[in-house]
Amino acid sequence: MKKIEHIGIAVEDMAKAEKIFSTIFGKNAYKWEEVISESVKTTFFKIGESKIELVSATNTESPIAKFLEKNREGMHHIAFAVEDIEKEMERLKKEGIRLLNDNPKTGADNKLICFLHPKDTAGVLIELCQGKA
Ligand code: ZN
């Protein structure tokens, strides 16, 4: 793994959360994207080299809606940049870590992504992501 690519924060109300984080960071978001396949809306902030992704649900079937049924809004996942996502998925599978999807999916920010099962990662939802060429 290369570095932390971004940190994902699950939010109930995107407009409200965007305002809060704009105030905290002292700058505006730079990217807004809906990922229809995941039923989420995302808003990205950049703080130096680091990115913060706010994620909200666009319908009740969204994984974020399900997360917010069980948890308060807040820290949701940590995403790590990888060189070769398929290779990394293969390696982790061999180590006995369950993947939430068998094949890389297209996520926000033009990335190929895969989530690891939090039961196998000390409760931390980890996203692997690889920039698309
Ligand atoms: Zn993410």
Side-chain angles (χ1 to χ4, degrees):
M1 298 199 190
K2 295 198 290 188
K3 61 166 191 170
I4 292 179
E5 215 286 329
H6 63 269
I7 292 174
I9 297 172
V11 305
E12 307 263 6
D13 179 335
M14 184 58 89
K16 201 172 145 198
E18 186 177 337
K19 210 162 159 250
I20 290 168
F21 284 97
S22 297
T23 303
I24 293 169
F25 298 147
K27 67 194 320 191
N28 292 325
Y30 72 97
K31 191 174 204 168
W32 299 263
E33 190 180 344
E34 181 168 352
V35 185
I36 290 166
S37 58
E38 295 291 298
S39 306
V40 295
K41 267 199 297 196
T42 64
T43 299
F44 284 89
F45 288 89
K46 202 172 231 167
I47 314 299
E49 291 227 325
S50 307
K51 289 189 244 171
I52 303 292
E53 174 190 40
L54 307 182
V55 207
S56 67
T58 54
N59 63 50
T60 52
E61 289 309 299
S62 166
I64 295 300
K66 296 196 167 124
F67 174 85
L68 290 173
E69 269 171 29
K70 291 184 229 148
N71 306 276
R72 299 168 139 238
E73 57 180 358
M75 268 288 306
H76 182 255
H77 63 274
I78 303 180
F80 292 91
V82 297
E83 201 81 60
D84 181 339
I85 195 165
E86 300 205 4
K87 216 165 118 187
E88 205 61 21
M89 287 166 71
E90 199 54 46
R91 182 181 74 80
L92 292 168
K93 226 195 299 192
K94 279 197 194 125
E95 297 287 354
I97 293 172
R98 282 168 286 174
L99 310 175
L100 293 189
N101 42 295
D102 288 329
N103 297 300
K105 295 193 286 189
T106 298
D109 205 22
N110 200 33
K111 299 268 197 295
L112 288 173
I113 64 166
C114 177
F115 284 97
L116 310 183
H117 200 301
K119 284 204 170 129
D120 295 339
T121 58
V124 179
L125 183 58
I126 292 178
E127 175 186 355
L128 307 177
C129 58
Q130 178 196 328
K132 282 203 215 170

PDB file of all heavy atoms in Angstrom, residues 6 8 53 77 79 115 127, ligand 1:
ATOM      1  N   HIS A   6      -7.593   8.733   1.187  1.00  0.00           N
ATOM      2  CA  HIS A   6      -8.543   9.664   1.807  1.00  0.00           C
ATOM      3  C   HIS A   6      -9.169   9.023   3.035  1.00  0.00           C
ATOM      4  O   HIS A   6      -9.022   7.824   3.261  1.00  0.00           O
ATOM      5  CB  HIS A   6      -9.638  10.111   0.819  1.00  0.00           C
ATOM      6  CG  HIS A   6     -10.517   9.003   0.320  1.00  0.00           C
ATOM      7  ND1 HIS A   6     -10.246   8.288  -0.815  1.00  0.00           N
ATOM      8  CD2 HIS A   6     -11.660   8.471   0.812  1.00  0.00           C
ATOM      9  CE1 HIS A   6     -11.194   7.374  -1.014  1.00  0.00           C
ATOM     10  NE2 HIS A   6     -12.062   7.463  -0.036  1.00  0.00           N
ATOM     11  N   GLY A   8     -12.954   8.687   4.819  1.00  0.00           N
ATOM     12  CA  GLY A   8     -14.368   8.854   4.501  1.00  0.00           C
ATOM     13  C   GLY A   8     -15.189   9.099   5.760  1.00  0.00           C
ATOM     14  O   GLY A   8     -15.038   8.393   6.761  1.00  0.00           O
ATOM     15  N   GLU A  53     -13.324  12.743   2.379  1.00  0.00           N
ATOM     16  CA  GLU A  53     -14.508  12.475   1.557  1.00  0.00           C
ATOM     17  C   GLU A  53     -15.726  12.445   2.474  1.00  0.00           C
ATOM     18  O   GLU A  53     -15.784  11.622   3.395  1.00  0.00           O
ATOM     19  CB  GLU A  53     -14.332  11.107   0.871  1.00  0.00           C
ATOM     20  CG  GLU A  53     -15.537  10.630   0.101  1.00  0.00           C
ATOM     21  CD  GLU A  53     -15.408   9.161  -0.352  1.00  0.00           C
ATOM     22  OE1 GLU A  53     -14.898   8.331   0.424  1.00  0.00           O
ATOM     23  OE2 GLU A  53     -15.823   8.861  -1.479  1.00  0.00           O
ATOM     24  N   HIS A  77     -14.653   5.252   6.856  1.00  0.00           N
ATOM     25  CA  HIS A  77     -13.614   4.363   6.317  1.00  0.00           C
ATOM     26  C   HIS A  77     -12.296   5.101   6.089  1.00  0.00           C
ATOM     27  O   HIS A  77     -12.263   6.328   6.030  1.00  0.00           O
ATOM     28  CB  HIS A  77     -14.069   3.694   5.016  1.00  0.00           C
ATOM     29  CG  HIS A  77     -14.330   4.641   3.880  1.00  0.00           C
ATOM     30  ND1 HIS A  77     -15.532   5.273   3.676  1.00  0.00           N
ATOM     31  CD2 HIS A  77     -13.528   5.058   2.856  1.00  0.00           C
ATOM     32  CE1 HIS A  77     -15.456   6.035   2.593  1.00  0.00           C
ATOM     33  NE2 HIS A  77     -14.247   5.931   2.067  1.00  0.00           N
ATOM     34  N   ALA A  79      -9.234   5.007   3.266  1.00  0.00           N
ATOM     35  CA  ALA A  79      -8.895   4.475   1.940  1.00  0.00           C
ATOM     36  C   ALA A  79      -7.390   4.551   1.727  1.00  0.00           C
ATOM     37  O   ALA A  79      -6.766   5.570   2.021  1.00  0.00           O
ATOM     38  CB  ALA A  79      -9.614   5.275   0.857  1.00  0.00           C
ATOM     39  N   PHE A 115     -13.633  -2.826  -0.817  1.00  0.00           N
ATOM     40  CA  PHE A 115     -13.664  -2.711   0.644  1.00  0.00           C
ATOM     41  C   PHE A 115     -13.307  -4.049   1.280  1.00  0.00           C
ATOM     42  O   PHE A 115     -13.663  -5.105   0.754  1.00  0.00           O
ATOM     43  CB  PHE A 115     -15.052  -2.272   1.107  1.00  0.00           C
ATOM     44  CG  PHE A 115     -15.329  -0.803   0.882  1.00  0.00           C
ATOM     45  CD1 PHE A 115     -16.027  -0.378  -0.247  1.00  0.00           C
ATOM     46  CD2 PHE A 115     -14.879   0.149   1.785  1.00  0.00           C
ATOM     47  CE1 PHE A 115     -16.280   0.976  -0.458  1.00  0.00           C
ATOM     48  CE2 PHE A 115     -15.123   1.505   1.586  1.00  0.00           C
ATOM     49  CZ  PHE A 115     -15.821   1.915   0.454  1.00  0.00           C
ATOM     50  N   GLU A 127     -10.786   0.748   2.578  1.00  0.00           N
ATOM     51  CA  GLU A 127     -11.035   0.784   1.137  1.00  0.00           C
ATOM     52  C   GLU A 127      -9.680   0.792   0.436  1.00  0.00           C
ATOM     53  O   GLU A 127      -8.787   1.539   0.819  1.00  0.00           O
ATOM     54  CB  GLU A 127     -11.805   2.078   0.799  1.00  0.00           C
ATOM     55  CG  GLU A 127     -12.027   2.326  -0.681  1.00  0.00           C
ATOM     56  CD  GLU A 127     -12.669   3.697  -0.960  1.00  0.00           C
ATOM     57  OE1 GLU A 127     -13.035   4.425  -0.008  1.00  0.00           O
ATOM     58  OE2 GLU A 127     -12.791   4.049  -2.152  1.00  0.00           O
TER      59      GLU A 127
HETATM   60 ZN    ZN B   1     -13.860   6.405   0.060  1.00  0.00          ZN
END
